[in-house]
Amino acid sequence: MSGSVWRKVRLAGALLCLTCAGSLSRLVVRLAWSGLLDPRRARDGLRIARAVRRRAVRLALRVQARDIEGRNEDHGH
């Protein structure tokens, strides 16, 4: 596959991770609010969701930076 296809796949993966992290956060909050999840486990779940979100953002930024570098090289900058 070409480089642009891989960039799109990586960006799609980052978007999927962000979506999953948001869903996990909402689920943890709902379970904790309803009393089905104790506060310590809720904190752990939110910590995991935050880590997933952070990694997804880093991945998206890295892919975007490489895309910009590739475009600059294509145009002789």
Side-chain angles (χ1 to χ4, degrees):
M1 280 195 270
S2 69
S4 65
V5 172
W6 279 115
R7 280 191 290 276
K8 289 176 186 175
V9 168
R10 287 186 182 137
L11 282 173
L15 178 61
L16 179 63
C17 287
L18 283 171
T19 303
C20 290
S23 296
L24 178 61
S25 296
R26 284 189 299 277
L27 178 65
V28 167
V29 169
R30 269 192 232 133
L31 289 173
W33 187 257
S34 66
L36 297 174
L37 193 62
D38 67 293
R40 189 173 34 148
R41 292 196 188 273
R43 232 183 355 262
D44 290 344
L46 291 174
R47 195 173 298 134
I48 290 168
R50 192 174 334 131
V52 169
R53 191 176 309 116
R54 217 178 292 131
R55 286 185 182 205
V57 168
R58 281 189 204 138
L59 174 64
L61 289 174
R62 193 174 331 130
V63 170
Q64 197 66 17
R66 286 182 183 165
D67 189 33
I68 291 169
E69 287 174 7
R71 289 182 191 173
N72 286 341
E73 289 174 3
D74 290 344
H75 296 292
H77 294 243

